[in-house]
Structures are given as structure tokens and as C-alpha cells.
Amino acid sequence: LENLEMLLAQAQKNFWIILGVFFVFGLLMSVGFFILQRRFWAKEQEILHTRAEMERYREISAFTSGVAHEIKNPLNSLSLVFEILRKKGPAELQDKVALGQAEVKRISRVIDEFSRLLKPFRLQRERLELREFINRVVNDYKTLAADQRVAVKVKVPDGLYFQADPLLFAQAVGNVLKNALEASPTGEVVIKGEKQADKIMLTITDSGPGLTAEEAGRIFEPFFTTKKEGLGIGLYLARKIVEAHGGRITARARWEGGTMFKIELGG
């Protein structure tokens, strides 16, 4: 009887242990299903949001394309009027005529850039070697670098490959490089590249005055610029191109001075 009581006590103890294990297992399964359901719901909402954004983008694109077309026609006529005034108008009006021509050209340029931004990108991806690619981009801006008296240093190891559209991605990197050169009155611009896990990390650092917190938050917005003659298109276009490649671009001020742009792209 004593052995029977011990067996009963042990069986009862085992029962509660097994019940507890099943309870914990069921709780973990419930939590797991809940997390999966939340992720599925969030993904579904993201897809719906993306579809809505694409539809809204198509509507805005069609509307703005029509507006741009309607504005360009009178601008062309106005440009012809200013050209006639430049040739046949009185001398005392030539300064105002020249100012009018410059403003018409500026408006036309803004409309052209805006229309170009609305067009979707058609990527033609190729396998590119990073150092060779960066050297080609830098070579395109060597005249600007010489005019700015800014040295461009490339610190990219050999043998790093990535997939990208060579023309569009060169335009994105070139826009960032151009911004860095124009922001650096003297000094140098440093381009570094490395591979981290399955990503290519590219940084472009200038020696300019840097960015305020507000500027860093708005630097990639369309038509936002800190330059007197800038349109605020280049960095916005760079962001669009990088994101079209599935990448990410950010900017931040450096504590030692200047600005650092970072581009993350899949290898």
C-alpha cells in the first residue's frame, strides 16, 4: 500500500508536469500564431497602401503631365516674344528683357525636370564592379572638382560586385557627388565602399558646412535646396533611383564637419 501511494503521488506529479508542458506549448503556439497573423495583416495593409499610392501616383502623373503641357505652350510663345524684343526692342529695355528671358528659361527648366521625375524607371540591371563604376562616375565630374579645387579620394577595394542599372545608378551617385563637390569650398570629398553581409555600403563625405537637423530631414524632398541657384531635384532623383533598386539613401551631418551620404544596396 505504501508503494501504491508513492506511485499515485508520482503519477499525480507527472500529470501536472505534463499538463504544464502542454499549457506552455499551447501558449507558445498561440503567441506564435498571433505574431504570424499580425505580420500577415501588416504585410497585407502594406500591399494595399502601396496599391493605393500607385493609383494616386498615376492620377497625379496624368494630371501634372497635362498641366505641364498646357504651361509649356504659352511659355514657348513668351520666349519668342522676348527674343523679338531682344533683337528689336529699345536699348533701355534690354536689361529687363534679359531678365524676362532668364525667368522663362528657369520656369521651363523646372517644368522639364518635374515632368522627367514623373516618369517611371525601367531598370536594365547589370553586374557591375564597384571600384570601376565609381571611377567612371568620378571621371565625369573631374572638371567640376578642378573648378571647386576639391580633391576626390576613392577608397573602394577591388572585387566588390553588385546588380544595378549602370546609367540610372551612375546618375544617382553622380548627383550626390555633385552636391558634395558644390558644398565643399575647399578640402576633399571621400568615397568609400565596402560589403556588409549581402549589402554594398557606399558613403560620400564632403568637407562643407554640414546640415542642420531640419535640412537633414528635408534634403531629399523635391524642390528643397540650400543653394541659391539650385532647383532641389538632384538629391530627390537620387533617392528615387536608389529606392527603385531596392536600396536606401540617408544623409547626416558629421560632428567633425561636413555631410555624409550613405547608400545601401543589395549585392
Side-chain angles (χ1 to χ4, degrees):
L1 291 176
E2 290 179 357
N3 290 336
L4 182 60
E5 289 178 357
M6 290 177 61
L7 289 173
L8 288 174
Q10 186 65 38
Q12 188 177 19
K13 182 179 179 181
N14 291 339
F15 170 78
W16 287 112
I17 290 174
I18 294 172
L19 185 63
V21 169
F22 274 107
F23 176 77
V24 172
F25 179 75
L27 182 62
L28 290 176
M29 288 289 292
S30 299
V31 171
F33 280 124
F34 176 73
I35 293 174
L36 287 175
Q37 186 178 18
R38 283 194 62 185
R39 288 181 178 177
F40 176 78
W41 182 82
K43 193 68 176 178
E44 186 179 16
Q45 292 298 312
E46 182 181 348
I47 292 172
L48 292 174
H49 178 73
T50 301
R51 288 178 180 174
E53 285 293 317
M54 289 178 65
E55 184 61 30
R56 189 167 67 91
Y57 176 82
R58 280 195 291 266
E59 292 178 358
I60 294 174
S61 178
F63 174 75
T64 51
S65 296
V67 171
H69 177 73
E70 293 300 322
I71 293 175
K72 286 285 287 184
N73 288 333
L75 272 181
N76 291 333
S77 300
L78 190 59
S79 179
L80 290 174
V81 170
F82 276 119
E83 185 63 23
I84 293 172
L85 287 174
R86 186 183 68 81
K87 293 178 179 179
K88 298 183 178 181
E92 60 270 17
L93 291 180
Q94 291 305 309
D95 290 342
K96 294 182 179 180
V97 170
L99 179 61
Q101 279 186 310
E103 289 300 314
V104 167
K105 288 180 180 179
R106 184 174 183 275
I107 295 172
S108 180
R109 181 183 167 204
V110 171
I111 294 172
D112 289 340
E113 291 291 339
F114 190 69
S115 299
R116 185 162 61 92
L117 290 178
L118 292 174
K119 296 178 181 177
F121 297 121
R122 300 183 184 276
L123 301 182
Q124 302 292 329
R125 295 178 185 265
E126 297 180 12
R127 188 169 184 261
L128 305 171
E129 205 272 334
L130 185 61
R131 182 177 176 84
E132 180 184 356
F133 173 81
I134 293 299
N135 285 334
R136 289 203 308 267
V137 175
V138 170
N139 187 63
D140 291 338
Y141 288 87
K142 63 181 181 181
T143 301
L144 177 60
D147 293 340
Q148 294 289 116
R149 297 182 180 179
V150 176
V152 180
K153 295 186 177 180
V154 178
K155 299 181 179 180
V156 180
D158 294 325
L160 296 184
Y161 291 90
F162 67 105
Q163 296 283 338
D165 185 300
L167 297 179
L168 285 174
F169 200 67
Q171 184 178 4
V173 176
N175 287 351
V176 177
L177 176 58
K178 180 175 181 288
N179 183 83
L181 289 171
E182 291 176 345
S184 303
T186 56
E188 63 184 22
V189 170
V190 180
I191 304 176
K192 293 183 180 180
E194 60 179 339
K195 190 160 189 176
Q196 295 182 2
D198 59 342
K199 293 185 178 295
I200 292 292
M201 310 293 290
L202 187 67
T203 61
I204 300 177
T205 306
D206 64 45
S207 53
L211 297 171
T212 65
E214 180 185 1
E215 290 170 347
R218 300 187 59 194
I219 194 68
F220 296 107
E221 292 181 6
F223 303 106
F224 175 80
T225 180
T226 58
K227 304 172 187 175
K228 292 182 179 180
E229 301 297 328
L231 292 178
I233 297 295
L235 293 180
Y236 172 70
L237 186 60
R239 189 194 73 179
K240 280 195 62 177
I241 293 173
V242 171
E243 290 179 350
H245 283 80
R248 181 169 174 260
I249 181 170
T250 56
R252 66 172 181 84
R254 301 165 66 229
W255 66 268
E256 62 267 45
T259 303
M260 173 184 287
F261 289 87
K262 179 184 288 187
I263 298 174
E264 302 177 26
L265 196 67

